[in-house]
Amino acid sequence: MDLIEEGSPQPTALEVATRADVALRSIRQHFESRESLFLAASARHAERMAVDAGPAPTARGTTNERVARFVEARARELEASSALRRSATLRETTSAALTAALRGPARDRRRETERVFARELGEITDARARASLLDAIDLVTGGRAWDALRRDLGRSRAEAERVMATALLALCSAAGK
């Protein structure tokens, strides 16, 4: 994880062994492939994220209050996992196991979104329109959007949070129409 976070999105087993100060064969004894090593690192990252996570956003309060808490929590998560996300993107097309592993956190994020914005989603009686709103919220609060703001557009974290909040507020207000 340290190597990935320091800018080496696909560290070799030799780099990992050197960093861990162990023999290369030790890496190969514990991990049968680079994929299994990456999956273990991803699991370790998820454990770290769970420990470091602040309070989960709640469904209480006004839309503005919930959006503010949600954006703060989601930005913290996305910022902390950006290096791993870049690394995973390089591997996901060739790794069915990694693709499956990435679906779990995506489902968790979607459930959190449904919980926090249950009021807005509940205002929509048409199931397809409700699913579309949830998809739109997922899109603007997801890792790819965050990475586009931070890396591609060069926005600061605070600017990226403002963009996310603006998009969320617009989507939430559209739900009531």
Side-chain angles (χ1 to χ4, degrees), residues 4-80:
I4 290 170
E5 289 171 2
E6 291 168 8
S8 179
Q10 295 194 59
T12 65
L14 180 58
E15 289 173 307
V16 172
T18 301
R19 174 58 66 93
D21 198 26
V22 298
L24 180 58
R25 70 178 179 280
S26 295
I27 301 294
R28 291 194 176 124
Q29 286 174 332
H30 293 284
F31 303 100
E32 62 188 44
S33 65
R34 286 184 63 187
E35 180 179 57
S36 64
L37 174 61
F38 187 80
L39 288 170
S42 298
R44 178 68 183 116
H45 175 73
E47 291 169 10
R48 266 200 256 170
M49 292 291 294
V51 169
D52 294 342
T58 67
R60 293 189 321 271
T62 66
T63 300
N64 286 351
E65 291 167 340
R66 286 179 290 121
V67 164
R69 288 190 306 264
F70 183 87
V71 167
E72 181 183 340
R74 185 59 58 92
R76 184 175 49 248
E77 174 190 345
L78 293 172
E79 195 71 12

Side-chain angles (χ1 to χ4, degrees), residues 99-120:
T99 300
L102 294 174
R103 286 192 184 123
R107 281 190 301 270
D108 293 344
R109 284 190 303 275
R110 190 171 179 101
R111 278 193 293 272
E112 178 180 60
T113 301
E114 286 179 294
R115 181 179 51 75
V116 172
F117 299 105
R119 191 177 312 151
E120 290 76 12

Side-chain angles (χ1 to χ4, degrees), residues 152-174:
D152 301 341
L153 298 176
R155 299 299 183 255
S156 69
R157 180 175 171 165
E159 291 168 331
E161 287 182 29
R162 269 195 301 283
V163 170
M164 186 186 288
T166 299
L168 267 174
L169 287 168
L171 288 168
C172 288
S173 73

